[in-house]
Amino acid sequence: PLAGVVDLTPNSTPADSTVYSAMICDTLRWIFLESGAQILGFAHRHDLHMISTYIGEDIPMLAPNFLDVQLLAAHTMAEELGSSRSDVVSSRPGLKSCCSHFLEDSGKASGQTTDRGRDSRDSWSLSKNEQCSDWAQRPLTANQLEYAGLDAAVLLVLLAEIVCR
């Protein structure tokens, strides 16, 4: 499994921007429409719309190779907590809630420390500071790239925990 970050805004001259945009369009078109790769997202409807707009082609929201981890987590949480399906549809959990539920309950996060000396429960908690930072400014900061990468990579860990249940 791979998780990645693709910057749709080049940090280059206008001439290079055209080449960059064409390469990114071709890559995204292949990943989302041609490769058949299994794609994980979290409440990814807006992301798919933005990518569709960028590449100029419609990406079907209900493609069989797309998995919305938020929906899977919500249904699993509802089963475990005895909630009704209507509760799941009306109130979908956020990424932080899903991580708290699945990672802390599994014992994988509780009581371990990271290489930065923090409790590992903080290692998957993504700072809202980066989410609200200036994503239009280039180049992106190291913190922004780390945030985006962790936001994608945590889905692999979360999916593994959900499947184990």
Side-chain angles (χ1 to χ4, degrees):
L2 298 174
V5 176
V6 176
D7 186 357
L8 300 181
T9 306
N11 184 26
S12 58
T13 65
D16 292 339
S17 295
T18 303
V19 173
Y20 180 84
S21 293
M23 287 179 8
I24 293 299
C25 278
D26 288 346
T27 302
L28 292 173
R29 191 173 292 111
W30 179 80
I31 290 170
F32 286 92
L33 297 172
E34 300 167 8
S35 73
Q38 295 298 307
I39 310 245
L40 300 180
F42 194 90
H44 61 259
R45 171 173 272 159
H46 178 72
D47 295 333
L48 290 178
H49 172 73
M50 296 302 290
I51 294 169
S52 290
T53 301
Y54 188 84
I55 66 173
E57 289 185 46
D58 191 40
I59 299 173
M61 298 291 174
L62 299 176
N65 59 321
F66 293 160
L67 177 62
D68 189 334
V69 177
Q70 183 190 42
L71 293 177
L72 181 60
H75 285 286
T76 304
M77 290 168 76
E79 288 175 3
E80 291 178 1
L81 301 172
S83 301
S84 70
R85 285 191 182 252
S86 62
D87 292 341
V88 171
V89 173
S90 65
S91 177
R92 294 185 183 151
L95 184 57
K96 186 173 185 172
S97 297
C98 290
C99 288
S100 292
H101 180 83
F102 291 101
L103 300 180
E104 284 184 19
D105 287 352
S106 72
K108 300 258 181 192
S110 182
Q112 300 172 359
T113 57
T114 65
D115 60 346
R116 295 180 181 147
R118 298 180 310 201
D119 187 295
S120 63
R121 284 173 285 206
D122 294 336
S123 65
W124 51 258
S125 180
L126 300 174
S127 167
K128 296 293 181 187
N129 292 339
E130 293 310 324
Q131 182 183 36
C132 299
S133 65
D134 185 0
W135 289 85
Q137 184 177 331
R138 290 299 182 272
L140 295 175
T141 67
N143 286 343
Q144 287 173 314
L145 291 170
E146 180 181 28
Y147 172 87
L150 288 173
D151 195 46
V154 73
L155 297 182
L156 297 170
V157 176
L158 187 56
L159 179 62
E161 288 300 320
I162 294 169
V163 170
C164 285
R165 294 181 181 219

